[in-house]
Amino acid sequence: MDNVEQLFALAGTLIVILLGIVGFWIQKWIKSTDALTEAIQNLKILFATSQTTMTNLEKHCEARCKLVDDRLKSHSGILHGHTTDIELLKQHHK
């Protein structure tokens, strides 16, 4: 019986050691998964912020482009008027 008790004690010790090792690796895996989850959440927040910023920039650019187009059309009309006036002056001068 003494050998059986020693065998059980040895087997129990090995099982406890193996369970400790498995528990250690599971704990490390959980920590790394938590870190990855946190990083993913941060990336989602950053992406949403960037998307909002890009939308705002896009709206600003559209408004700015409309303003520039309106100014170009206005200047084009003025230049056309000046061109016509210059042609009339050239004809009068001859």
Side-chain angles (χ1 to χ4, degrees):
M1 284 285 193
D2 196 29
N3 286 338
V4 174
E5 288 177 8
Q6 286 179 350
L7 185 62
F8 282 142
L10 181 63
T13 305
L14 286 175
I15 289 173
V16 168
I17 290 172
L18 289 175
L19 285 175
I21 292 171
V22 169
F24 172 77
W25 286 110
I26 287 175
Q27 183 181 13
K28 284 186 70 107
W29 178 73
I30 289 171
K31 284 182 181 178
S32 67
T33 324
D34 289 345
L36 287 173
T37 303
E38 184 179 342
I40 288 171
Q41 290 299 326
N42 290 338
L43 284 173
K44 284 181 181 179
I45 292 169
L46 180 65
F47 180 74
T49 305
S50 297
Q51 200 169 20
T52 303
T53 303
M54 287 302 296
T55 303
N56 290 339
L57 284 173
E58 199 173 274
K59 288 177 184 177
H60 179 70
C61 282
E62 287 174 4
R64 186 83 174 157
C65 286
K66 184 174 176 1
L67 178 66
V68 169
D69 286 344
D70 290 345
R71 285 183 179 174
L72 284 174
K73 286 178 186 175
S74 171
H75 289 270
S76 174
I78 292 169
L79 285 174
H80 181 68
H82 288 319
T83 304
T84 305
D85 290 344
I86 289 171
E87 289 299 322
L88 288 173
L89 288 172
K90 280 183 180 178
Q91 286 178 0
H92 246 359
H93 184 46
K94 287 185 182 181

